[in-house]
Amino acid sequence: MTDTLLPGMKIGVNWRTGLDWYLTSWKSPDDPACGEFSFRIDTRGMPQYIVWKGSERVWRSGPWNGQRISGVPQMNLHFIFNFHYIANENETYVMFNAYNQSIISRMVLIGSGKIHRLTWLDSNRRWNLFWEIPGERCDGYGQCGTYAGCYANHAPPCECLHGFEPRSPQDWYLRDGTDGCVRRRVLECEKGDGFFKLQHAKLPDTLHARVDTRASLKECEDECLKNCSCTAYSSADINGGGSGCVMWGGDLIDLQVYSDGGQDVYIRVAASELESNRLLDKKKKMILIITIILGVILFAFCGCCLWRRKRKVQGSNSIERNHRIFYDENELEESTKGSELPLFELRVVAAATNNFSSENELGGGGFGPVYKGKLMNGQEIAVKRLSKNSGQGSEEFKNEVLLIAKLQHRNLVKIMGCCIEGDEKMLIYEYMRNRSLDWFIFDDTRRVLLDWGQRFKIIMGIARGVLYLHQDSRLRIIHRDLKASNVLLDDEMIPRISDFGLARIFDGNQTEANTTRVVGTYGYMSPEYAMDGLFSVKSDAFSFGVLLLEIINGKRNNGCFSDDPSQNLIRYAWELWKEDRGLELVDSSMVSSCSTNEVLRCIQVGLLCVQENAVDRPTMASVVFMLDNDTVMPTPKQPAFCVRKNLNNKDSFTNRTGSHSINEVSITELHAR
């Protein structure tokens, strides 16, 4: 018995010897005697893991579903930890290992009954809490009683399943759901019952469940229908579309529903419940069809209005004016409604963000703050709210509304809609739980979680996303603000390029344009853009090169590399490369995991991208090819070392990541060496 699980250790049972591997909490932080909590496998029914307080269930994991334990969504971080579940005639157990052997990790059952996943940080010599379970209010065992789902993002969290109603309506109204729910209509069995599909669920308690690993999901349904006591069924293994069969023969308890993840559970209901549900779905479809027809009419009307307005706009000799979008506030609203974006009501967005509370704020920029939110259906969103006093933000908003809705690529962020109501103007994006790239690579605690293999995949994803903008989309887009904080990471750590407020559309064979209003971020701007206002696909390539070197090194381009204030990451990388010491650029946290040839190839590509003369830099098509193939590459020439002048101590806007974003400055404020 111990309170700690290390990589390679087992939690489970040995059927031959009767040995039971489990964790026991300490009596107190200073007393290692057995405490009142234990964490062990329950092999009755379908095996699952339980945290016990004496003989009382405190938390239940759910069974293994072929990829992870169904009630532990933290296992989705499969790029960091590798979990193994073994069930055979000799033993049944689960254990974990870290993909990156330099990560020191352990699981501890603490005195309060929580299981902590801890990782060791050499930088500050301490254990860091990576995640804990139970962690949310729905994690406690049986929070909502029988035949009810617990939704962590709902208030109140308990909801009866389809075809069920509260057992005690008064207690339910007072937000006490422990009595659970009962059927509205009695099952008729031979006369015909059916099943309602509950998605993204943690499987109910499998204590009294029966498992058939050989049955298909259809066979599972047929078998359950034949048995009048069968209340639900699901796949035993979610791989390959689902296989095996789990059937429940009693009350369903401890059901939790996630916004994503989990698996499908089929709940038995009376045929009359299914019929009422079909009528409701039919009504919803009719409403949807009517809405679409009205939307098409509105779209055509708005398009006609925009076309008439466009004919009245006078031409301009300024290339910048030809490629920026200028509207007054009425035009903005018409343009947004005429775009391909759904419109969200203000009350819906306000409710999702807890009325734009400071606790929900993720960050911000020249346009205004960004908030995290959750819609009533559990969908997590990021809300980009236009600041009422930001002229820059207003122009960015107009540009992004009409641009990003036209772009679709797995390495670009997905926009879900917008909100324009009164003085409020907002863009709604899918929320990225892993936040942005800078949140990982510039933090001593989190950068150790990204080994070289993961970073290389991120580099390739960003490169393909920029190539799509430059060449493969129906528009030729120059991003103009490519940086670590504008690269978001989804649940699978796939990079998504975001923030198209400064992006510009190029026509036909146009290769460059110029502006007298230089906007972007210090450290990522090419010298020709900073000095002369010239931007092109090659200025984006420069920004990509800076970003690539930052991913390899783990520090910002404008970070400190010596006592010389002009010594930025580009100069540091160049000096190491000239002396054949390129590997010294690699982040120390991933040295053991990197491929020497691959890293050196990436450093060379990065230096090719940051060369001083734009004509020497490769296109993004060449960048993708060089990164993906072990081929002969040109020798990099002298890079550009962009630095900031101290202009009467006038600082630019500083965002939350520490990068300095130019908030409409004159091009004379920058110089290159």
Side-chain angles (χ1 to χ4, degrees), residues 198-271:
L198 180 66
Q199 297 177 300
H200 306 304
K202 168 187 174 180
L203 295 185
D205 193 342
T206 55
L207 176 62
H208 301 295
R210 183 165 63 88
V211 184
D212 183 350
T213 58
R214 295 169 297 179
S216 67
L217 195 61
K218 183 63 173 68
E219 291 171 338
C220 194
E221 178 184 5
D222 294 340
E223 183 66 24
C224 191
L225 280 174
K226 294 176 185 177
N227 186 347
C228 293
S229 63
C230 179
T231 53
Y233 72 92
S234 181
S235 296
D237 190 319
I238 64 174
N239 289 308
S243 63
C245 174
V246 187
M247 289 184 289
W248 285 263
D251 290 341
L252 307 179
I253 191 170
D254 198 36
L255 260 167
Q256 188 173 349
V257 184
Y258 307 111
S259 57
D260 54 15
Q263 64 190 93
D264 297 339
V265 184
Y266 297 84
I267 315 295
R268 188 172 196 148
V269 293

Coordinates of all heavy atoms in Angstrom, one line a residue, residues 198-271:
L198 N -27.7 9.3 -25.9 CA -27.1 10.4 -25.1 C -25.6 10.5 -25.5 O -24.9 9.5 -25.3 CB -27.2 10.1 -23.6 CG -26.6 11.1 -22.6 CD1 -27.3 12.5 -22.7 CD2 -26.6 10.6 -21.2
Q199 N -25.2 11.6 -26.0 CA -23.8 11.8 -26.5 C -22.9 12.4 -25.5 O -23.3 13.0 -24.5 CB -23.8 12.6 -27.8 CG -24.6 12.0 -28.9 CD -24.7 13.0 -30.1 OE1 -25.2 14.1 -30.0 NE2 -24.2 12.5 -31.2
H200 N -21.6 12.2 -25.7 CA -20.5 12.7 -24.9 C -20.7 12.4 -23.4 O -20.5 13.3 -22.5 CB -20.5 14.3 -25.1 CG -20.3 14.7 -26.5 ND1 -19.3 14.3 -27.3 CD2 -21.1 15.5 -27.2 CE1 -19.5 14.8 -28.5 NE2 -20.6 15.6 -28.5
A201 N -21.0 11.2 -23.1 CA -21.3 10.8 -21.7 C -20.2 10.0 -21.1 O -19.4 9.3 -21.7 CB -22.6 10.0 -21.7
K202 N -20.1 10.2 -19.8 CA -19.3 9.2 -18.9 C -20.3 8.1 -18.7 O -21.4 8.3 -18.2 CB -18.9 9.9 -17.6 CG -18.4 8.9 -16.6 CD -18.1 9.7 -15.3 CE -17.8 8.8 -14.1 NZ -17.5 9.6 -12.9
L203 N -19.9 6.8 -18.9 CA -20.8 5.7 -18.8 C -21.3 5.6 -17.4 O -20.6 5.9 -16.4 CB -20.1 4.4 -19.2 CG -19.7 4.3 -20.6 CD1 -19.1 2.9 -20.9 CD2 -20.8 4.5 -21.6
P204 N -22.6 5.2 -17.2 CA -23.2 5.0 -15.9 C -22.4 3.9 -15.1 O -21.6 3.2 -15.7 CB -24.6 4.5 -16.1 CG -24.9 4.9 -17.6 CD -23.6 4.8 -18.3
D205 N -22.6 3.9 -13.8 CA -22.0 2.9 -13.0 C -22.1 1.5 -13.5 O -23.3 1.1 -13.8 CB -22.6 3.0 -11.5 CG -21.7 2.2 -10.5 OD1 -20.9 1.4 -10.9 OD2 -21.9 2.5 -9.3
T206 N -21.0 0.8 -13.8 CA -21.1 -0.5 -14.4 C -21.0 -1.6 -13.4 O -20.7 -2.8 -13.8 CB -19.9 -0.7 -15.4 OG1 -18.7 -0.4 -14.7 CG2 -20.0 0.3 -16.6
L207 N -21.4 -1.4 -12.1 CA -21.3 -2.4 -11.1 C -22.2 -3.6 -11.5 O -21.8 -4.7 -11.3 CB -21.8 -1.8 -9.8 CG -22.0 -2.7 -8.6 CD1 -20.6 -3.4 -8.2 CD2 -22.6 -2.0 -7.4
H208 N -23.4 -3.3 -12.1 CA -24.3 -4.4 -12.4 C -24.4 -4.5 -14.0 O -25.5 -5.0 -14.5 CB -25.7 -4.1 -11.8 CG -25.7 -4.0 -10.3 ND1 -25.3 -5.1 -9.5 CD2 -25.9 -3.0 -9.5 CE1 -25.4 -4.7 -8.2 NE2 -25.8 -3.4 -8.2
A209 N -23.4 -4.1 -14.7 CA -23.5 -4.2 -16.1 C -22.9 -5.5 -16.6 O -22.1 -6.2 -15.9 CB -22.7 -3.0 -16.8
R210 N -23.4 -5.9 -17.8 CA -22.9 -7.1 -18.4 C -22.2 -6.8 -19.7 O -22.6 -5.9 -20.5 CB -24.1 -8.1 -18.7 CG -23.7 -9.4 -19.3 CD -24.9 -10.4 -19.2 NE -26.0 -9.9 -20.0 CZ -26.1 -10.2 -21.3 NH1 -25.2 -10.9 -21.9 NH2 -27.2 -9.8 -22.0
V211 N -21.0 -7.5 -20.0 CA -20.2 -7.2 -21.1 C -20.1 -8.4 -22.0 O -19.9 -9.5 -21.6 CB -18.7 -6.8 -20.6 CG1 -17.9 -6.4 -21.8 CG2 -18.8 -5.7 -19.6
D212 N -20.2 -8.1 -23.3 CA -20.0 -9.1 -24.4 C -19.0 -8.5 -25.4 O -19.4 -7.6 -26.2 CB -21.3 -9.5 -25.0 CG -21.1 -10.6 -26.1 OD1 -19.9 -10.9 -26.4 OD2 -22.1 -11.1 -26.5
T213 N -17.8 -8.8 -25.3 CA -16.8 -8.2 -26.2 C -16.9 -8.6 -27.7 O -16.3 -8.0 -28.5 CB -15.3 -8.5 -25.7 OG1 -15.2 -9.9 -25.7 CG2 -15.1 -8.0 -24.3
R214 N -17.6 -9.6 -28.0 CA -17.8 -10.1 -29.3 C -18.9 -9.6 -30.1 O -19.0 -9.7 -31.3 CB -17.9 -11.7 -29.3 CG -16.6 -12.4 -28.8 CD -16.9 -13.8 -28.6 NE -17.9 -14.1 -27.6 CZ -18.3 -15.3 -27.2 NH1 -17.8 -16.3 -27.7 NH2 -19.2 -15.4 -26.2
A215 N -19.9 -9.0 -29.4 CA -21.1 -8.5 -30.1 C -20.9 -7.1 -30.7 O -20.1 -6.3 -30.3 CB -22.2 -8.3 -29.0
S216 N -21.6 -6.9 -31.8 CA -21.6 -5.6 -32.5 C -22.6 -4.7 -31.8 O -23.4 -5.1 -30.9 CB -21.9 -5.7 -33.9 OG -23.3 -6.1 -34.1
L217 N -22.6 -3.4 -32.1 CA -23.5 -2.5 -31.5 C -24.9 -2.8 -31.8 O -25.8 -2.7 -31.0 CB -23.1 -1.0 -31.9 CG -23.8 0.1 -31.0 CD1 -23.3 0.0 -29.6 CD2 -23.4 1.5 -31.6
K218 N -25.2 -3.2 -33.1 CA -26.5 -3.6 -33.5 C -27.0 -4.9 -32.8 O -28.1 -5.0 -32.3 CB -26.5 -3.9 -35.0 CG -27.9 -4.2 -35.6 CD -28.9 -3.0 -35.4 CE -30.2 -3.3 -36.0 NZ -31.0 -4.3 -35.4
E219 N -26.1 -5.8 -32.6 CA -26.4 -7.0 -31.8 C -26.7 -6.7 -30.4 O -27.6 -7.3 -29.7 CB -25.3 -8.0 -31.9 CG -25.1 -8.7 -33.3 CD -23.9 -9.5 -33.5 OE1 -22.9 -9.3 -32.7 OE2 -23.8 -10.4 -34.3
C220 N -26.0 -5.7 -29.9 CA -26.2 -5.2 -28.5 C -27.6 -4.7 -28.4 O -28.3 -4.9 -27.4 CB -25.1 -4.2 -28.2 SG -25.0 -3.8 -26.4
E221 N -28.0 -3.9 -29.3 CA -29.4 -3.3 -29.3 C -30.4 -4.4 -29.3 O -31.4 -4.3 -28.5 CB -29.6 -2.3 -30.5 CG -30.9 -1.7 -30.5 CD -31.1 -0.8 -31.8 OE1 -30.2 -0.8 -32.6 OE2 -32.2 -0.2 -31.9
D222 N -30.3 -5.3 -30.2 CA -31.3 -6.4 -30.3 C -31.3 -7.2 -29.1 O -32.4 -7.6 -28.6 CB -30.9 -7.3 -31.5 CG -31.0 -6.6 -32.9 OD1 -31.7 -5.6 -32.9 OD2 -30.3 -7.1 -33.8
E223 N -30.2 -7.5 -28.5 CA -30.2 -8.3 -27.2 C -30.8 -7.5 -26.1 O -31.6 -8.1 -25.3 CB -28.7 -8.6 -26.9 CG -28.6 -9.5 -25.6 CD -29.1 -10.9 -25.8 OE1 -29.3 -11.4 -27.0 OE2 -29.5 -11.5 -24.8
C224 N -30.6 -6.2 -26.0 CA -31.2 -5.4 -25.0 C -32.7 -5.3 -25.1 O -33.4 -5.4 -24.1 CB -30.6 -4.0 -25.0 SG -31.0 -3.0 -23.6
L225 N -33.2 -5.2 -26.4 CA -34.6 -5.2 -26.6 C -35.3 -6.5 -26.2 O -36.5 -6.4 -25.7 CB -34.9 -4.9 -28.1 CG -34.8 -3.4 -28.5 CD1 -35.0 -3.3 -30.0 CD2 -35.9 -2.6 -27.8
K226 N -34.6 -7.6 -26.3 CA -35.2 -8.9 -25.9 C -35.4 -9.0 -24.4 O -36.2 -9.8 -23.9 CB -34.4 -10.0 -26.5 CG -34.4 -10.1 -28.0 CD -33.4 -11.2 -28.4 CE -33.3 -11.3 -30.0 NZ -32.3 -12.3 -30.4
N227 N -34.5 -8.3 -23.7 CA -34.5 -8.4 -22.2 C -35.2 -7.2 -21.6 O -34.8 -6.1 -21.7 CB -33.0 -8.4 -21.7 CG -32.9 -8.7 -20.3 OD1 -33.9 -8.6 -19.5 ND2 -31.7 -9.0 -19.8
C228 N -36.4 -7.5 -21.0 CA -37.2 -6.4 -20.5 C -36.6 -5.6 -19.3 O -37.0 -4.5 -19.0 CB -38.6 -6.9 -20.0 SG -39.6 -7.6 -21.4
S229 N -35.6 -6.2 -18.7 CA -34.9 -5.6 -17.6 C -33.7 -4.7 -18.0 O -33.1 -4.0 -17.2 CB -34.5 -6.6 -16.5 OG -33.5 -7.5 -17.1
C230 N -33.4 -4.8 -19.3 CA -32.2 -4.0 -19.9 C -32.6 -2.6 -20.0 O -33.6 -2.2 -20.7 CB -31.8 -4.6 -21.2 SG -30.4 -3.7 -21.9
T231 N -31.9 -1.7 -19.4 CA -32.2 -0.3 -19.4 C -31.3 0.6 -20.3 O -31.7 1.7 -20.6 CB -32.1 0.3 -17.9 OG1 -30.8 0.0 -17.4 CG2 -33.2 -0.3 -17.0
A232 N -30.2 0.1 -20.7 CA -29.3 0.9 -21.6 C -28.2 0.0 -22.2 O -28.0 -1.1 -21.6 CB -28.7 2.1 -20.8
Y233 N -27.6 0.5 -23.2 CA -26.4 -0.3 -23.8 C -25.5 0.7 -24.4 O -25.8 1.9 -24.7 CB -26.9 -1.3 -24.8 CG -27.3 -0.7 -26.1 CD1 -26.5 -0.5 -27.2 CD2 -28.7 -0.4 -26.3 CE1 -26.9 0.0 -28.4 CE2 -29.1 0.1 -27.5 CZ -28.2 0.3 -28.6 OH -28.6 0.8 -29.7
S234 N -24.2 0.3 -24.6 CA -23.2 1.1 -25.2 C -22.1 0.2 -25.8 O -22.1 -1.0 -25.5 CB -22.6 2.1 -24.2 OG -21.7 2.9 -24.8
S235 N -21.2 0.8 -26.5 CA -20.0 0.1 -27.0 C -19.1 -0.1 -25.9 O -18.9 0.8 -25.0 CB -19.3 0.9 -28.1 OG -20.2 1.0 -29.3
A236 N -18.4 -1.3 -25.9 CA -17.4 -1.5 -24.9 C -16.1 -0.9 -25.3 O -15.2 -0.6 -24.5 CB -17.2 -3.0 -24.7
D237 N -15.9 -0.8 -26.6 CA -14.6 -0.2 -27.2 C -15.0 0.8 -28.2 O -15.7 0.5 -29.2 CB -13.8 -1.4 -27.7 CG -12.4 -0.9 -28.1 OD1 -12.2 0.2 -28.7 OD2 -11.4 -1.7 -27.8
I238 N -14.5 2.0 -28.1 CA -14.9 3.1 -29.1 C -14.0 3.1 -30.3 O -14.3 3.9 -31.2 CB -14.9 4.5 -28.4 CG1 -13.5 4.9 -28.0 CG2 -15.9 4.5 -27.2 CD1 -13.4 6.3 -27.4
N239 N -13.0 2.3 -30.4 CA -12.1 2.3 -31.5 C -12.8 1.8 -32.8 O -13.7 0.9 -32.7 CB -10.9 1.5 -31.3 CG -9.9 2.1 -30.3 OD1 -9.5 3.3 -30.4 ND2 -9.6 1.4 -29.2
G240 N -12.5 2.4 -33.9 CA -13.0 1.9 -35.2 C -14.5 2.0 -35.3 O -15.2 1.1 -35.9
G241 N -15.1 3.0 -34.7 CA -16.6 3.2 -34.8 C -17.3 2.5 -33.7 O -18.6 2.6 -33.6
G242 N -16.7 1.7 -32.8 CA -17.3 1.0 -31.7 C -17.4 -0.5 -31.9 O -17.7 -1.0 -33.0
S243 N -17.1 -1.2 -30.9 CA -17.3 -2.7 -30.9 C -17.5 -3.2 -29.5 O -17.3 -2.4 -28.5 CB -16.0 -3.3 -31.5 OG -14.9 -3.1 -30.6
G244 N -18.0 -4.4 -29.4 CA -18.3 -4.9 -28.0 C -19.6 -4.3 -27.5 O -20.1 -3.4 -28.1
C245 N -20.0 -4.9 -26.4 CA -21.4 -4.5 -25.9 C -21.3 -4.4 -24.4 O -20.8 -5.3 -23.7 CB -22.4 -5.5 -26.4 SG -24.0 -5.3 -25.7
V246 N -21.9 -3.3 -23.8 CA -22.1 -3.2 -22.4 C -23.6 -3.0 -22.2 O -24.2 -2.1 -22.9 CB -21.3 -2.0 -21.8 CG1 -21.5 -2.0 -20.3 CG2 -19.9 -2.0 -22.2
M247 N -24.2 -3.8 -21.4 CA -25.7 -3.6 -21.1 C -25.9 -3.5 -19.6 O -25.3 -4.1 -18.8 CB -26.4 -4.8 -21.6 CG -26.5 -4.9 -23.2 SD -27.5 -6.3 -23.7 CE -26.5 -7.7 -23.3
W248 N -26.8 -2.5 -19.3 CA -27.1 -2.3 -17.9 C -28.5 -2.9 -17.6 O -29.4 -2.8 -18.4 CB -27.2 -0.8 -17.6 CG -25.9 -0.1 -17.6 CD1 -25.2 0.2 -16.4 CD2 -25.1 0.3 -18.6 NE1 -24.0 0.8 -16.7 CE2 -23.9 0.9 -18.1 CE3 -25.2 0.3 -20.0 CZ2 -22.9 1.4 -18.9 CZ3 -24.2 0.9 -20.8 CH2 -23.0 1.4 -20.2
G249 N -28.6 -3.5 -16.4 CA -29.8 -4.2 -16.1 C -30.6 -3.6 -14.9 O -31.5 -4.2 -14.4
G250 N -30.2 -2.4 -14.5 CA -30.8 -1.8 -13.3 C -30.8 -0.3 -13.5 O -30.7 0.2 -14.7
D251 N -31.0 0.5 -12.4 CA -31.1 1.9 -12.5 C -29.7 2.4 -13.0 O -28.7 1.9 -12.7 CB -31.4 2.5 -11.1 CG -32.8 2.2 -10.7 OD1 -33.6 1.9 -11.6 OD2 -33.1 2.3 -9.5
L252 N -29.8 3.5 -13.8 CA -28.6 4.2 -14.3 C -28.2 5.3 -13.3 O -29.0 6.2 -13.1 CB -28.8 4.7 -15.7 CG -29.3 3.7 -16.7 CD1 -29.5 4.4 -18.1 CD2 -28.4 2.5 -16.8
I253 N -27.0 5.3 -12.8 CA -26.6 6.3 -11.8 C -25.2 6.8 -12.2 O -24.4 6.1 -12.8 CB -26.7 5.8 -10.4 CG1 -26.5 6.9 -9.4 CG2 -25.6 4.7 -10.1 CD1 -26.8 6.6 -8.0
D254 N -24.9 8.0 -11.7 CA -23.5 8.6 -11.9 C -23.2 8.9 -13.4 O -22.2 8.6 -13.9 CB -22.4 7.8 -11.2 CG -21.2 8.6 -11.0 OD1 -21.3 9.8 -10.7 OD2 -20.1 8.0 -11.2
L255 N -24.2 9.4 -14.1 CA -24.0 9.8 -15.5 C -23.5 11.2 -15.5 O -24.1 12.1 -14.9 CB -25.4 9.7 -16.2 CG -25.6 8.5 -17.1 CD1 -27.1 8.5 -17.5 CD2 -24.7 8.5 -18.3
Q256 N -22.5 11.4 -16.3 CA -21.9 12.8 -16.4 C -21.9 13.1 -17.9 O -21.5 12.2 -18.7 CB -20.6 12.9 -15.8 CG -20.0 14.3 -15.8 CD -18.7 14.4 -15.0 OE1 -18.3 13.5 -14.3 NE2 -18.0 15.6 -15.1
V257 N -22.2 14.3 -18.4 CA -22.2 14.7 -19.8 C -21.2 15.8 -20.0 O -21.2 16.8 -19.3 CB -23.6 15.1 -20.2 CG1 -23.6 15.4 -21.7 CG2 -24.6 14.0 -19.9
Y258 N -20.3 15.6 -21.0 CA -19.2 16.5 -21.2 C -19.6 17.4 -22.5 O -20.4 17.0 -23.3 CB -17.9 15.8 -21.5 CG -17.5 14.9 -20.4 CD1 -17.5 13.5 -20.6 CD2 -17.1 15.3 -19.2 CE1 -17.1 12.6 -19.6 CE2 -16.7 14.4 -18.2 CZ -16.7 13.1 -18.4 OH -16.3 12.2 -17.4
S259 N -18.9 18.5 -22.6 CA -19.1 19.3 -23.8 C -18.5 18.6 -25.0 O -18.9 18.8 -26.2 CB -18.4 20.7 -23.6 OG -17.1 20.6 -23.3
D260 N -17.4 17.8 -24.8 CA -16.9 17.0 -25.9 C -16.2 15.8 -25.2 O -16.1 15.7 -24.0 CB -15.9 17.8 -26.8 CG -14.7 18.4 -25.9 OD1 -14.6 18.0 -24.8 OD2 -14.0 19.2 -26.5
G261 N -15.8 14.8 -26.0 CA -15.2 13.6 -25.5 C -16.4 12.7 -25.0 O -17.5 12.7 -25.5
G262 N -16.0 11.8 -24.1 CA -17.0 10.8 -23.6 C -17.4 9.9 -24.7 O -16.7 9.7 -25.7
Q263 N -18.6 9.2 -24.6 CA -19.1 8.3 -25.6 C -20.6 8.2 -25.6 O -21.2 8.8 -24.7 CB -18.5 6.9 -25.5 CG -18.8 6.2 -24.2 CD -18.0 4.9 -24.0 OE1 -17.0 5.0 -23.4 NE2 -18.4 3.8 -24.6
D264 N -21.2 7.5 -26.6 CA -22.6 7.4 -26.7 C -23.2 6.3 -25.9 O -22.6 5.2 -25.8 CB -23.0 7.2 -28.2 CG -22.6 8.3 -29.1 OD1 -22.3 9.4 -28.6 OD2 -22.4 8.0 -30.3
V265 N -24.3 6.7 -25.2 CA -25.0 5.7 -24.4 C -26.5 5.7 -24.9 O -27.1 6.8 -25.1 CB -25.0 6.0 -22.9 CG1 -25.7 4.9 -22.1 CG2 -23.6 6.2 -22.4
Y266 N -27.0 4.5 -25.1 CA -28.4 4.4 -25.6 C -29.3 4.0 -24.5 O -29.3 2.9 -23.9 CB -28.4 3.4 -26.7 CG -27.6 3.8 -27.9 CD1 -26.2 3.5 -27.9 CD2 -28.1 4.5 -29.0 CE1 -25.4 3.9 -29.0 CE2 -27.3 4.9 -30.1 CZ -26.0 4.5 -30.1 OH -25.2 4.9 -31.1
I267 N -30.2 5.0 -24.1 CA -31.1 4.8 -23.0 C -32.5 4.3 -23.4 O -33.1 4.8 -24.3 CB -31.3 6.2 -22.2 CG1 -29.9 6.9 -22.1 CG2 -32.0 6.0 -20.9 CD1 -29.0 6.2 -21.2
R268 N -33.0 3.2 -22.7 CA -34.3 2.7 -23.1 C -35.4 3.6 -22.7 O -35.5 4.0 -21.5 CB -34.4 1.3 -22.5 CG -35.6 0.5 -23.0 CD -35.6 -0.9 -22.4 NE -36.5 -1.8 -23.2 CZ -36.3 -3.0 -23.4 NH1 -35.2 -3.6 -22.9 NH2 -37.2 -3.8 -24.0
V269 N -36.3 3.9 -23.6 CA -37.5 4.7 -23.3 C -38.7 4.0 -24.0 O -38.6 3.2 -24.9 CB -37.3 6.1 -23.8 CG1 -36.3 6.8 -23.0 CG2 -37.0 6.2 -25.3
A270 N -39.9 4.4 -23.6 CA -41.1 3.9 -24.2 C -41.2 4.4 -25.6 O -40.8 5.5 -25.9 CB -42.3 4.3 -23.4
A271 N -41.9 3.6 -26.5 CA -42.1 4.0 -27.9 C -42.8 5.4 -28.0 O -42.5 6.1 -28.9 CB -42.8 2.9 -28.6

